[in-house]
């Protein structure tokens, strides 16, 4: 059976429950248990749903079913279609959100900087206010209402620019737990980083998506680049490396949601992985030893569409197929990180990638990647093959 997690935001603290049905008008719906919102937020976890089935849902507040209805489709098809992007200016209501929604992916992955408020006050009210302004805009609100989505913050939506553990933004981690739909997090402590993983079966082959928090436990970018400098922190890094060495994950493809640019050129004090080269080499060597050729890296942060086949992204002897997918609505950037990309780099605004995962052999998955702009036009294509 399948399930879904749905987060509801209300205008005041009140009683709310979720009505859901396979009927678009919510005829004869099923209901979740009722909740009293906390900080105007309720999160519902639905289980026992039919796979590969479209559902519709609405919020019943104080016994009155609201007019706004959202929809989602549970997973279960033999292929998996995912849209990926990140980085949008505060208050964005750009057309690209509608373009992504029209693609009707199984999942939308937002890789950070859902806004650029650069909050420096460690306040859940402030953090929530920034997200409220995002979803006050019609186009992003409709996308997240109609397409199953997963978001992980980066610096501008976690705290101030280039934020890190020392920025003290524990409110962002706490808010994420209360408000952001996600698969189960690795830590239940409210102020801990919000890393987690989940697996989707693609025609009998497991695809493990790894979501890392690259801000809440990170060193300041100005720290000396040695074994003490970290982007993941000790606990998260141990967990991350354990996924690749776990025998239960043999024969599976790993997809790493890596919010910071992975392939940046080594640069002292850089906020991308080029400023954390010791840890990058350590991770690359571990993956090369435990799961060579089985990791696809998805990144945003750099405001470009840029695909590399691993030629220019080899770390710790492991050539990483890397797809930079950005920006939703932010000025394009040709220089950030300074990396070269074998399949080209596109620096316009309003960009995203469409990835279709399909089994193409007994132990093989091909990922058909298409980079598009807000008009839906194709900018770049690349289809890496992973032999598992």
């Amino acid at each position: 059976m399948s399930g879904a997690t749905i987060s509801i935001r209300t205008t005041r603290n009140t009683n709310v429950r979720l009505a859901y049905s396979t009927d678009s008008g919510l005829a004869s719906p099923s209901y979740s248990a009722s909740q009293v919102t906390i900080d105007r937020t309720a999160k519902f976890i639905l289980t026992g749903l039919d796979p590969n089935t479209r559902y519709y849902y609405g919020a019943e507040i104080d016994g009155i079913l609201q007019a706004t209805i959202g929809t989602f489709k549970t997973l279960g098809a033999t292929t998996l279609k995912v849209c990926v992007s990140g980085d949008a200016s505060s208050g964005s209501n750009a057309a690209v959100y509608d373009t992504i929604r029209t693609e009707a992916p199984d999942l939308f992955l937002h890789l950070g900087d859902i806004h650029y408020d650069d909050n420096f006050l460690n306040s859940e009210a402030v953090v929530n206010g920034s997200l409220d302004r995002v979803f006050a805009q019609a186009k992003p609100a409709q996308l997240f209402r109609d397409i199953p989505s997963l978001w992980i913050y980066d610096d501008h939506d976690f705290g101030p620019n280039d934020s890190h553990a020392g920025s003290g933004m524990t409110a962002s981690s706490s808010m994420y737990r209360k408000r952001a739909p996600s698969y189960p997090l690795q830590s239940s402590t409210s102020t801990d980083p919000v890393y987690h993983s989940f697996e989707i079966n693609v025609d009998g082959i497991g695809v493990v998506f790894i979501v890392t928090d690259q801000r809440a436990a990170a060193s300041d970018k100005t720290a000396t680049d040695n074994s003490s400098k970290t982007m993941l922190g000790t606990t998260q890094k141990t967990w991350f490396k354990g996924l690749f060495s776990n025998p239960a994950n043999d024969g599976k493809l790993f997809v790493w949601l890596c919010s910071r640019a992975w392939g940046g050129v080594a640069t002292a004090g850089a906020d991308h992985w080029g400023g954390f080269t010791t840890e990058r080499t350590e991770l690359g060597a571990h993956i090369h030893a435990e799961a060579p050729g089985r990791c696809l890296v998805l990144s945003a942060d750099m405001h470009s569409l840029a695909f590399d086949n691993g030629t220019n992204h080899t770390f710790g002897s492991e050539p990483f197929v890397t797809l930079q997918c950005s920006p939703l609505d932010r000025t394009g950037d040709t220089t950030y990180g300074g990396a070269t990309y074998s399949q080209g780099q596109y620096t316009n605004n309003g960009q995203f990638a469409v990835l279709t995962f399909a089994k193409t052999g007994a132990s093989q998955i091909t990922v058909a990647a298409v980079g598009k702009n807000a008009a839906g036009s194709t900018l770049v294509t690349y289809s890496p093959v992973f032999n598992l």
Side-chain angles (χ1 to χ4, degrees), residues 82 107 123 130 196 214 241-242 282 364 373 381:
V82 176
L107 185 63
S123 161
S130 292
H196 56 290
Q214 300 187 3
K241 293 168 73 172
E282 174 191 352
Q364 182 185 82
N373 62 18
T381 61

Side-chain angles (χ1 to χ4, degrees), residues 83 85 96-105 108 143 328 352:
C83 286
S85 193
V96 66
Y97 295 105
D98 285 343
T99 307
I100 293 171
R101 184 166 54 86
T102 302
E103 286 282 344
F108 172 52
L143 171 61
L328 286 164
F352 64 100

Side-chain angles (χ1 to χ4, degrees), residues 113-131:
D113 294 341
I114 199 169
H115 60 74
Y116 268 66
D117 279 8
D118 290 333
N119 294 319
F120 62 90
L121 291 176
N122 188 33
S123 161
E124 285 194 39
V126 170
V127 172
N128 272 315
S130 292
L131 278 184

